[in-house]
C-alpha cells in the first residue's frame, strides 16, 4: 500500500514536471510568436511614421512662424508708408484748400475792382484845322469803352475812381504845316506837343503817353491848338486811349 502511494506520488511529480516543461516550452514559443507578430510590426511602423510626421509638422510650423514674422514686419512697413501717405495727403488737401481760398479771394477782389479802358479814333472826315482858336477834340469813333469813362459827345475822359491811369494818343498830319495836340486836366493844360511838317506829300506823326495819378471825377481831354491841324480817316491814324492801372 505504501509502495502504491509512493508510485502515485512519483507519477504526479513527473506529470507536474512535464507540465511545467511543456508550459515553459509553450511560453517560449508564445514569446517568439509575439516578437514576430505582424500586428506588432505594423504598430512599430505606425509609431515611426507618427514620429516622422510630428517632426515634419514642427518643421512646417517653424516655417509658418517665420513667414508670419516676416509678414508682420512687412505689414508694419506698409502701415508706416500708409501713415506717411495720409500725412502728405492731409497736407496737400490743406494746401489745396488754402490755394482755393486764395483764388476765391482774388476772384472776389478782381470782381470788385473797377475796370476802366477805352480806345477811340478821331474822325473819318480827313483833315481838321488849322483854326484860329483852340478846339476840343472829340474822338467820335469808340472801339472800346469799358466802364464808360470816356464820353464821345464831349471828348472828356472822367476818372471813375482814384488810381493811376495810363493815357496815350497818336497825332497824324498829312499836309504841310504844324500838327499838335495839348493835354488838359480839369481844364488846365499839363502837356503841349507839336511838330512841323514841311513836305506836302510826306505825312508826319507822333505818339505820346502819360501815367497820371487821378482822383475820382478828374477830367482829361485833348485840345487842337490854334494854327495846328490833325488828320484822320477810316484808317484810324489819330487815336486816343487809356486804362486804369491800379486803384489807390
Amino acid at each position: 500500500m505504501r509502495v502504491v502511494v509512493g508510485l502515485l506520488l512519483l507519477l504526479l511529480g513527473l506529470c507536474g514536471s512535464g507540465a511545467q516543461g511543456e508550459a515553459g516550452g509553450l511560453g517560449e514559443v508564445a514569446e517568439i510568436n509575439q516578437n514576430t507578430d505582424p500586428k506588432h510590426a505594423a504598430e512599430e511602423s505606425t509609431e515611426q511614421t507618427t514620429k516622422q510626421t510630428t517632426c515634419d509638422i514642427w518643421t512646417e510650423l517653424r516655417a509658418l512662424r517665420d513667414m508670419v514674422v516676416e509678414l508682420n514686419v512687412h505689414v508694419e512697413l506698409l502701415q508706416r508708408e500708409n501713415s506717411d501717405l495720409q500725412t502728405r495727403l492731409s497736407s496737400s488737401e490743406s494746401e489745396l484748400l488754402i490755394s482755393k481760398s486764395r483764388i476765391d479771394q482774388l476772384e472776389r477782389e478782381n470782381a470788385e475792382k473797377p475796370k476802366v479802358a477805352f480806345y477811340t479814333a478821331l474822325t473819318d472826315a480827313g483833315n481838321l484845322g488849322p483854326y484860329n482858336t483852340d478846339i476840343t477834340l472829340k474822338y467820335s469813333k469808340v472801339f472800346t469803352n469799358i466802364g464808360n469813362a470816356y464820353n464821345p459827345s464831349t471828348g472828356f475822359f472822367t476818372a471813375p475812381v482814384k488810381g493811376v491811369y495810363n493815357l496815350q494818343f497818336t497825332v497824324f498830319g498829312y499836309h504841310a504845316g504844324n500838327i499838335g495836340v495839348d493835354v488838359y486836366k480839369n481844364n488846365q493844360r499839363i502837356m503841349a506837343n507839336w511838330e512841323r511838317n514841311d513836305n506836302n506829300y510826306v505825312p508826319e506823326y507822333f505818339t505820346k503817353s502819360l501815367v497820371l495819378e487821378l482822383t475820382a471825377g478828374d477830367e482829361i481831354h485833348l485840345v487842337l491848338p490854334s494854327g495846328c491841324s490833325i488828320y484822320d480817316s477810316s484808317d484810324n491814324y489819330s487815336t486816343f486811349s487809356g486804362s486804369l492801372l491800379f486803384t489807390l
Side-chain angles (χ1 to χ4, degrees):
M1 188 70 174
R2 290 180 180 177
V3 174
V4 173
V5 171
L7 291 172
L8 287 173
L9 291 172
L10 180 61
L11 289 173
L12 288 172
L14 292 172
C15 288
S17 293
Q20 287 179 356
E22 185 178 1
L26 291 174
E28 292 177 359
V29 172
E31 184 177 356
I32 294 172
N33 291 337
Q34 185 178 1
N35 290 335
T36 59
D37 190 359
K39 181 179 179 181
H40 180 71
E43 290 177 353
E44 288 184 351
S45 177
T46 301
E47 183 179 354
Q48 292 177 356
T49 303
T50 302
K51 290 181 179 179
Q52 182 64 38
T53 302
T54 302
C55 292
D56 293 342
I57 289 174
W58 280 111
T59 301
E60 293 294 332
L61 286 175
R62 283 192 292 270
L64 287 174
R65 181 198 60 189
D66 295 341
M67 290 176 61
V68 169
V69 171
E70 184 178 354
L71 286 174
N72 286 335
V73 172
H74 188 60
V75 167
E76 289 180 1
L77 291 176
L78 289 177
Q79 288 176 342
R80 291 176 186 175
E81 292 179 0
N82 183 57
S83 178
D84 292 341
L85 288 175
Q86 287 181 346
T87 301
R88 291 167 59 186
L89 179 61
S90 299
S91 178
S92 298
E93 289 176 348
S94 299
E95 293 176 358
L96 182 61
L97 290 175
I98 293 173
S99 298
K100 186 178 184 301
S101 176
R102 179 57 178 163
I103 290 173
D104 292 340
Q105 180 183 356
L106 291 174
E107 287 179 348
R108 287 194 299 270
E109 291 176 357
N110 186 60
E112 295 170 357
K113 179 182 177 181
K115 298 176 178 58
V116 182
F118 71 97
Y119 177 74
T120 64
L122 185 59
T123 181
D124 288 339
N127 201 65
L128 295 179
Y131 303 108
N132 56 7
T133 186
D134 294 348
I135 299 295
T136 297
L137 294 173
K138 300 176 182 179
Y139 290 76
S140 59
K141 296 185 291 183
V142 179
F143 303 106
T144 302
N145 196 13
I146 298 173
N148 294 316
Y150 176 76
N151 187 346
S153 299
T154 62
F156 279 65
F157 166 75
T158 304
V161 294
K162 183 179 180 180
V164 177
Y165 294 80
N166 177 64
L167 302 169
Q168 180 174 294
F169 58 91
T170 297
V171 177
F172 185 85
Y174 193 72
H175 300 290
N178 294 329
I179 60 172
V181 164
D182 295 340
V183 180
Y184 279 73
K185 173 186 176 183
N186 299 329
N187 294 318
Q188 181 179 357
R189 187 174 67 180
I190 60 173
M191 178 185 284
N193 307 277
W194 67 277
E195 294 284 346
R196 174 71 182 177
N197 185 8
D198 294 323
N199 194 320
N200 209 19
Y201 301 100
V202 178
E204 182 76 24
Y205 69 93
F206 61 84
T207 297
K208 296 294 179 70
S209 62
L210 305 87
V211 176
L212 297 176
E213 179 181 336
L214 303 176
T215 59
D218 284 347
E219 294 179 330
I220 301 293
H221 69 281
L222 304 183
V223 170
L224 178 66
S226 60
C228 292
S229 64
I230 188 172
Y231 181 89
D232 197 15
S233 68
S234 60
D235 292 325
N236 304 314
Y237 295 114
S238 296
T239 60
F240 179 34
S241 62
S243 62
L244 171 64
L245 297 179
F246 52 87
T247 58
L248 295 174

